[in-house]
Amino acid sequence: MERQVARQIVEFKCKTMEEELKKLGFKVNHHERNIKFLKSELNAVEEACVDLGTGIMCQLKVRHYLLASKMPLMKDILGFVATLGKVNDDNLSRILSEYLGMDNMLALVCKTYDSVKGLEKYDKNGFIDKSSGLHGLARTIGKVLDGRFTVFCLENLRPFSDVVNTDDPQRKLILQRPRLPGGESPPGFLDFAVNMIHLEQAHMSCLTASGHGLRETLFYSLFSHLQVYKTRADIESSLPWINDGAISLDGGILRPNGSFCLGDSKNLEVKFAVSRGVSSLPEDITDMEEQVKLKNWEKERLLEDMKREEDLLNQVKELYSKQKHELMGYLTQPAITQMAHGSPTVRSPATPGSNPFGAKPSHMQ
């Protein structure tokens, strides 16, 4: 009877400790999921942050125009991609911007390689010279340029090699439209993305030394033969006639490598302006600065949340490990091991008549 009671006590204690371990395991999973979620949020914030290199160029051109106009570095910098073209539809603006991504939309565009070299200098050890180039300019307006930024050089881009429609004020590229066996275009086909970018007159006159404009160089490099359709269904029905990717106004994206972009669309904060006069870009540099401050604040908050979750996770893991060690230690005690094999054992301290401290009975002293 006493052995049965002792066994029940052991089983109860083991079960209790196992339940505690299970609860701690759930807590570990909970904190790990929280950390994973916070990391995804942090990545989203970092992607949404306006590139500081672009921000500095904006400030130099808008707030420090006189200073910038005297800098040789600035004369061959045309701006960044998002400001060099417009489109005639909000949906087209959104999907083209998502297709290119924030890095390309905020990439600086230079006419010559000399201007690219002027943006950044290096010392003899290959480290960036923070006192020259764009880094040095940043200091003149109280900014610090940190992180990577993309730069396109027009004269280094391989231009469109076929015919340009010189009779068209926009100098659109003459591209072979997809044709069904009957000669008509596939249902829903609108045009090639490269020809749906509207260039302002000032940008139309921007030519490389070899006479190529922005459409033949920059935008052809970005879009190539990317086709634009009305709907995803139109893309699907036209797959045999799509060689270099396609997008649709309802959010479909087929990459040139044949991959499809599924899921919810990203609502990028920087998009191509719409030609009817509604700009999707921040109207004032102050707006851009406020956006950067807000995103940096969100980033700091997320980092703090991640730190707290990681601390809690470490605490729970430590407690889990400790209790697991205690359980294993308890189960490997000689008395418990003997009981598991049905051998006689010391009575439980909770059992009447037990002698847990090994003291001799009074009549034997």
Side-chain angles (χ1 to χ4, degrees):
M1 179 65 180
E2 291 180 357
R3 181 178 297 173
Q4 183 179 358
V5 172
R7 186 184 297 276
Q8 290 175 348
I9 292 173
V10 170
E11 290 176 352
F12 176 77
K13 186 168 184 178
C14 289
K15 184 177 180 181
T16 301
M17 296 178 75
E18 288 173 353
E19 288 295 328
E20 287 298 319
L21 284 176
K22 188 180 293 185
K23 290 178 182 178
L24 289 173
F26 287 143
K27 287 184 178 180
V28 168
N29 291 335
H30 171 73
H31 290 303
E32 287 179 340
R33 286 196 300 270
N34 284 350
I35 290 174
K36 183 178 180 180
F37 171 75
L38 290 170
K39 284 182 177 179
S40 67
E41 289 290 296
L42 182 61
N43 290 337
V45 168
E46 288 177 341
E47 288 179 4
C49 284
V50 177
D51 186 277
L52 188 54
T54 302
I56 289 171
M57 297 305 300
C58 287
Q59 291 192 47
L60 283 170
K61 287 195 170 186
V62 176
R63 289 187 175 176
H64 307 272
Y65 175 77
L66 292 177
L67 174 64
S69 63
K70 297 177 182 179
M71 295 178 176
L73 171 65
M74 301 291 293
K75 67 183 182 69
D76 281 338
I77 298 178
L78 305 179
F80 52 103
V81 171
T83 64
L84 299 180
K86 295 183 178 181
V87 295
N88 63 0
D89 181 84
D90 286 318
N91 290 327
L92 181 60
S93 171
R94 175 183 53 79
I95 197 65
L96 284 177
S97 302
E98 183 180 0
Y99 177 83
L100 292 181
M102 187 69 82
D103 284 346
N104 282 328
M105 288 295 289
L106 290 176
L108 293 173
V109 181
C110 300
K111 286 181 65 176
T112 65
Y113 184 58
D114 285 339
S115 62
V116 176
K117 291 191 296 183
L119 290 174
E120 195 165 84
K121 302 290 185 180
Y122 308 92
D123 62 23
K124 61 181 181 180
N125 295 317
F127 295 106
I128 298 173
D129 181 358
K130 298 290 187 177
S131 64
S132 64
L134 189 56
H135 300 271
L137 293 181
R139 290 186 174 185
T140 65
I141 57 174
K143 299 290 183 180
V144 176
L145 179 57
D146 191 19
R148 294 277 192 178
F149 57 96
T150 301
V151 181
F152 286 107
C153 174
L154 296 187
E155 70 176 15
N156 277 45
L157 297 176
R158 179 181 296 178
F160 176 68
S161 58
D162 287 333
V163 182
V164 175
N165 187 356
T166 54
D167 294 330
D168 185 340
Q170 283 286 306
R171 290 178 56 87
K172 293 184 179 181
L173 312 184
I174 298 179
L175 301 171
Q176 185 175 354
R177 297 167 67 90
R179 297 290 182 187
L180 299 178
E184 68 277 14
S185 295
F189 174 78
L190 298 176
D191 204 342
F192 292 96
V194 67
N195 283 335
M196 298 182 78
I197 299 293
H198 178 82
L199 300 176
E200 298 287 352
Q201 188 57 43
H203 296 146
M204 287 294 301
S205 60
C206 175
L207 303 175
T208 64
S210 55
H212 296 105
L214 281 174
R215 195 181 307 279
E216 302 106 282
T217 54
L218 175 67
F219 290 110
Y220 182 71
S221 174
L222 290 171
F223 296 123
S224 186
H225 291 71
L226 181 73
Q227 298 178 21
V228 181
Y229 288 83
K230 289 183 180 179
T231 67
R232 291 183 176 90
D234 293 331
I235 291 179
E236 184 177 351
S237 64
S238 304
L239 287 176
W241 293 274
I242 298 174
N243 296 319
D244 289 302
I247 59 173
S248 63
L249 299 184
D250 62 356
I253 296 180
L254 169 61
R255 296 284 180 184
N257 62 6
S259 62
F260 291 87
C261 295
L262 305 181
D264 295 327
S265 298
K266 293 181 179 179
N267 187 22
L268 296 185
E269 296 182 12
V270 177
K271 298 187 283 288
F272 286 109
V274 178
S275 58
R276 61 174 177 266
V278 180
S279 175
S280 300
L281 289 169
E283 295 181 356
D284 188 81
I285 297 301
T286 303
D287 293 339
M288 184 177 286
E289 290 177 337
E290 289 302 317
Q291 291 176 23
V292 173
K293 289 179 182 178
L294 177 61
K295 293 301 178 184
N296 284 335
W297 177 82
E298 290 182 18
K299 182 177 179 179
E300 290 175 3
R301 179 179 58 80
L302 287 169
L303 287 172
E304 290 174 358
D305 290 345
M306 283 181 60
K307 178 65 168 58
R308 183 173 61 254
E309 287 292 335
E310 287 172 348
D311 289 342
L312 290 171
L313 176 61
N314 290 334
Q315 291 174 16
V316 173
K317 281 185 173 180
E318 184 178 349
L319 184 58
Y320 180 89
S321 178
K322 181 180 179 181
Q323 292 201 7
K324 183 178 179 182
H325 181 73
E326 289 178 357
L327 175 60
M328 296 304 297
Y330 180 76
L331 292 175
T332 55
Q333 289 178 14
I336 304 302
T337 305
Q338 291 175 8
M339 184 176 296
H341 290 83
S343 302
T345 185
V346 178
R347 292 170 178 168
S348 168
T351 305
S354 65
N355 189 8
F357 301 106
K360 294 181 180 180
S362 58
H363 68 274
M364 296 181 64
Q365 293 180 352

